[in-house]
DNA sequence: GCATGACATGTTATCGATACCATAATTTGG
DNA sequence: CCAAATTATGGTATCGATAACATGTCATGC
């Protein structure tokens, strides 16, 4: 008799099932984990016993023994934006179908949020990790290396990822948007960028290319991260006096772009005649609003899917690409 | 010497730390879990050893031994909508600060998505569960009862929750919106509702009250769940011919309401003169668009926070309210 | 000065499953 | 018809931590 406190109804364990089915516990384990190694007749008996006793396997115990938790940690700044909720959604779906569960970690936009979170998450011995961005503190990099866990980084395109990466180059994307505007005959430019590292990279590329085109950077505003519709409205209101001539605006997200457009409407600034707007993210909003907003589409759901598949490959001992770049493309709509 | 395969660098465990610090493993455990029961001098030695060896505790082992996983499962249909991402976000934050991690389960809108997910999640022996809605299959209810895990249900107001509940009455809310429109002198009504049970309850309340007011229900459309901006646009386009006189529309989410408004704009239907619109959810969108949209505000973030706190209370052996109703209120804006 | 108790630490026995090796049952081939 | 190969099952020893109890140490009070 155990001296431990037990739950209200001492729960059914693998030995109970084994006894009920007249087999060894190990056989029950096989029925659940490697069914092809058990005869059909035995498997039937065992499954019947499982059903009858209402056995729910304990994956904590299994994980300790097998040293595989079948859990994956996903760390993103927030799920309040489609930018991150989309990849997390598909990531969770794909891994769920493979029998893995996802622990969600929300790091916020504070620079040190990630460190503590990764440390905490590693105490659960995840079989894999999804991280946002590829710039991490040296402490984190060492921690990850020591843990020996497969890691996928998304939403970034560092040359030397910690382990694997599925993302794209934000600076290049900024360049592409500048080129797009220039091709439309624009000479005056503005950018509203959120304060996070990736939005900053997009801005850097955009600003650099504008200069190369000999364009004028009329205004450049940094918004709090995560930035939204209201931030876009406020920013546009602040720069409205500068909108005396035809100008092109790049917003760091579709929400920001939409906010700018709505504020422009309220102020009587014509879009796209006086103000051309390009957003980022291809949220449903930019497609559904009136006029629809030109945007840069990056398939976040796809990113999550590929990240999950690469992680699965590695966890199953197969090889997986070190660096996958997902395409981004400008979707031209009525706002430009 | 163990016959098990070991990781690349056999990882540091509690016995290693204990040896390095010259104490028993149990003392190391105490330093980490119940620091007040350890003398300051010993704690210092132990912490130094932990730091020096880079010890990362194994909560899988700890969980097996203590029968407390310190994990909570959160099951929502999707995180693509602010309706669910907001509560999940605060829920995760609050529990994270208390040392719990959240497993994310996305059940989708298929009726049987939840069953399998809950069953799978229980194999991890979570210390608590967050569920969306309060109508579950009998199998699930029994499973939860047997597991003896604290459960909070959100986004609903069933009379007899499975365990605890933090939500509100959707039908009542539909009634309130009908009253609000009626008070504004409306006699013609339309509703666009998503196909999920909660949107259906809002619709039922709205339709019932409209009838009580002697109003005309001009159109009633069911949208696919989860429904978005585009669904709202399409629905409005379909019913546009009916908008010959002043009409009031209740959308099942702010996204749907916004889509309807944008389509109305495209079709030259004046808002709010010919079409008054009320949404649901108080997303940033309804506040940030032009004109801003009247909506029913329900604080999803607050719901997540309270759910987390009640769960924490119960897990710590304290009492927690069985049924918490969060307020909802109509925020009147320019669309009505 | 010694019993009483509070506090700090150590010892032992699990928690519930799976890896690995051993053995039994079955099939295959010459 | 039997040895060798294959397949199915069982036994044992952990996985890494913590609960419960035992022990040791010191302060307090009468």
């Amino acid at each position: 008799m155990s001296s431990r406190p037990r739950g209200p109804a001492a729960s059914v364990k693998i030995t109970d099932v084994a006894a009920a089915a007249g087999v060894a516990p190990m056989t029950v384990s096989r029925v659940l984990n490697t069914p092809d190694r058990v005869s059909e007749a035995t498997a039937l008996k065992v499954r019947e016993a499982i059903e009858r006793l209402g056995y729910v396997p304990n994956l904590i115990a299994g994980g300790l023994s097998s040293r595989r938790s079948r859990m994956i940690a996903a760390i993103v700044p927030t799920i309040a934006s489609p930018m991150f909720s989309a990849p997390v959604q598909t990531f969770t779906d794909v891994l769920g179908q493979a029998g893995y569960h996802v622990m969600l970690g929300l790091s916020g936009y504070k620079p040190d949020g990630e460190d503590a979170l990764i440390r905490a998450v590693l105490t659960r011995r995840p079989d894999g990790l999804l991280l946002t961005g590829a710039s991490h503190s040296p402490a984190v990099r060492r921690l990850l290396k020591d843990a020996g866990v497969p890691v996928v980084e998304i939403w970034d395109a560092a040359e030397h990822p910690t382990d694997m990466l599925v993302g794209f180059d934000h600076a290049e994307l900024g360049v592409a948007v500048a080129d797009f505007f220039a091709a439309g005959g624009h000479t005056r430019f503005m950018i509203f960028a959120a304060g996070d590292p990736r939005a900053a990279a997009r801005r850097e590329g955009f600003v650099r290319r504008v200069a190369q085109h000999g364009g004028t950077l009329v205004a450049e505003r940094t918004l709090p991260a995560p930035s939204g519709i209201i931030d876009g409205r406020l920013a546009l209101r602040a720069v409205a006096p500068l909108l005396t001539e035809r100008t092109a605006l790049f917003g760091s997200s579709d929400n920001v772009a939409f906010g700018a457009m709505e504020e422009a409407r309220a102020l009587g600034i014509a879009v796209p005649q006086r103000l051309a707007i390009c957003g980022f993210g291809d949220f449903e909003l930019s497609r559904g609003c009136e006029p629809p907003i030109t945007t840069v589409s990056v398939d976040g759901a796809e990113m999550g899917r590929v990240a999950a598949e690469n992680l699965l490959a590695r966890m199953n001992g197969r090889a997986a690409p070190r660096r996958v770049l997902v395409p981004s493309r400008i979707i031209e709509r009525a706002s430009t």
Side-chain angles (χ1 to χ4, degrees), chain A residues 299-317:
Chain A
D299 194 337
E302 172 71 4
M303 213 151 52
R305 199 180 57 71
V306 174
E309 282 167 359
N310 289 354
L311 219 41
L312 278 171
R314 280 285 294 283
M315 293 185 305
N316 293 324

Side-chain angles (χ1 to χ4, degrees), chain A residues 25-54:
Chain A
M26 196 57 226
T27 300
V28 178
S29 174
R30 287 199 187 92
V31 170
L32 294 169
N33 298 310
T34 52
D36 352 324
R37 300 198 167 171
V38 180
S39 77
E40 195 44 54
T42 313
L44 219 65
K45 277 192 309 188
V46 170
R47 272 193 280 267
E48 186 275 332
I50 287 175
E51 185 65 32
R52 186 155 48 81
L53 301 183

Side-chain angles (χ1 to χ4, degrees), chain A residues 2 95 107 124 132 151 178-179 189 214 252 279 309 312:
Chain A
S2 161
L95 287 169
S107 58
R124 311 268 177 193
T132 307
V151 174
D179 285 347
F189 303 87
S252 73
E309 282 167 359
L312 278 171

Side-chain angles (χ1 to χ4, degrees), chain A residues 192 223 226-237 253-263 283 285 293:
Chain A
F192 297 168
L223 276 41
S227 49
I229 297 172
I230 307 291
D231 298 305
R233 288 195 78 139
L234 294 176
L236 192 98
R237 192 177 310 166
S253 77
D254 279 353
N255 282 346
V256 168
F258 174 74
M261 184 170 84
E262 293 297 79
E263 187 66 19
F283 304 165
L285 175 58
I293 299 175

Side-chain angles (χ1 to χ4, degrees), chain A residues 186 245-247 269-276 334-336:
Chain A
H186 283 278
E245 297 168 54
R246 181 169 178 250
T247 303
I269 296 167
V271 174
Q273 293 78 10
R274 186 126 62 98
L275 178 67
S335 72
T336 54

